[in-house]
Amino acid sequence: MDNYSVKKLARLAGVTVRTLHLYDKMGLLKPSIRTEARYRLYGNKELLRLQQILFYRELDFPLKDIMTILDDPAFDLEQALEGHKVALLAKKERINTLVGTIEKTLATLKQHSMLQAEDLYEGMPNEKMAAYRKEAISKWGQELIAETEATIKSFSKEEMHSIANELNDICAQLTVLIPKGAADKTVQQHIAKRMQLVHQLTGGKVSSEKMEYLRNLGQLYKATNADTTDYILPDAEQAAFIREATSYYLASKK
Amino acid sequence: MDNYSVKKLARLAGVTVRTLHLYDKMGLLKPSIRTEARYRLYGNKELLRLQQILFYRELDFPLKDIMTILDDPAFDLEQALEGHKVALLAKKERINTLVGTIEKTLATLKQHSMLQAEDLYEGMPNEKMAAYRKEAISKWGQELIAETEATIKSFSKEEMHSIANELNDICAQLTVLIPKGAADKTVQQHIAKRMQLVHQLTGGKVSSEKMEYLRNLGQLYKATNADTTDYILPDAEQAAFIREATSYYLASKK
DNA sequence: TCTTGACTCTCCCCTTAGGTGATACCCTAT
DNA sequence: ATAGGGTATCACCTAAGGGGAGAGTCAAGA
């Protein structure tokens, strides 16, 4: 039975001395003996155990769980492995979602950089814009339009873009989440964010008229730039889902 | 421009007050003003920034990186996102490997049907078992018990049962053969077989302590399941005969 | 025998992103 | 004036070690 010093064992197993110190202190791997000078000495049995520890550590098991696995004979390893596998798969699924979000953000970012120097409404022909504005004024009154425009103008370009992008992202997310239903936790988080953004856009005074005005501006913009933008405007189904989820959100907040 | 207290902002954004305190201290999100009493007050700008922070946090960016992303105008967000995506994909790949390893381990476990402690002590009341185990540990030391259990566990259920059955048969045979004497040829054949099985059970390292531990386990098992099992445990006379025949066997082997 | 360099010991602080609790201060409504 | 709730700061805790300080130990060469 060979004896290994901390350094030898560490080199052998590919860990640091600090790790062995830690495992010793927490009782995960005790040296077989201590010399007079309190030097740690490990035998083959400890080497074997260390390798088992590292196996489970590789699998992302917490050290405390590893201790249980190795020391508790009543421990159900099979179930632990199954559970761990499920957890890993969930983690992987989450990563998939994150990568998707990043890709969407990157796409938006590329779009964004194209529009960077431009106004949000720059792509809209002035005449159409003016025509719709007149129509809107006659429909909802000078006052409401003026207020909405003032609110919009109070944002810097960057802020406006940021809000537009976020709304865009949220809409995209929500579309994907439609199958989850309005009460889904993630959906509700998105709705909360969306509420906040709308709150900002309307200067704290939400009204259906304002929203409709903004929506129509958006449609006009999209119709004009159908080929160069991929801002998402909700279709009937998406809009219905958003309304439903928002109702649920407001009801749950009371 | 509204003002939000810590609690209001926290509720709005779905974080805790502590998080806002932390972000303030680390400079990630400073309140727009502090009241006379050092109360933090946030404006809409801060709310917006917080939402951006949370967006990147969702993507698993470290807070320090988020600070750079938001504060350094020369920062290449696109590249950061690409890099992050690559890192996430690597993480995902690693998880794939881990899941594969777990599945392989599970397959091995099931196929080999490794004898877990649970199975090992199957049919034995847990409390009694645990009590005896403790007693045995204090009597012979943790190490010996651990080694014995490890050896036992290295057998599959089927192997274990097969060995138990063979030992049982041998014991029965030997009982019948007592009148023939220890030197009888058939007796010696049984003894040889028995030695081999014991050798297996003890992992090649036979010791009287190990044997005693196993024997006591057996007795405990039998006492508990007296009505449902017909495993034979040698009584005094049988044990004496087995010892005698084994001595003869060992002597003749020299 | 002495010294030198490698090795080891223990103790302590640091890391992430906050959780939890203690203690004290502030604000407002009754 | 007091009670209740909001807030501030401080300090300790998490997992798995990293890094370093200060001191002791060991083996080999001069």
Side-chain angles (χ1 to χ4, degrees), chain B residues 120-140:
Chain B
L120 178 58
Y121 305 131
E122 186 184 11
M124 269 186 231
N126 266 343
E127 327 81 53
K128 278 196 186 172
M129 188 48 225
Y132 178 66
R133 193 166 171 274
K134 255 188 197 164
E135 187 192 324
I137 285 176
S138 71
K139 193 166 172 188
W140 292 304

Side-chain angles (χ1 to χ4, degrees), chain A residues 192-193 196 249 253, chain B residues 4-17 20 47 50-51 54:
Chain A
K193 226 173 225 179
Q196 186 51 48
Y249 174 76
K253 276 293 164 188
Chain B
Y4 308 105
S5 69
V6 263
K7 190 158 202 192
K8 279 184 193 161
L9 182 62
R11 190 170 39 71
L12 226 61
V15 299
T16 69
V17 172
L20 294 180
L47 172 57
L50 178 53
Q51 315 235 299
L54 296 182

Side-chain angles (χ1 to χ4, degrees), chain B residues 188-199:
Chain B
Q188 284 299 303
Q189 280 169 357
H190 283 306
I191 288 294
K193 183 70 187 165
R194 199 187 106 95
M195 282 293 289
Q196 187 199 329
L197 293 175
V198 167
H199 186 77

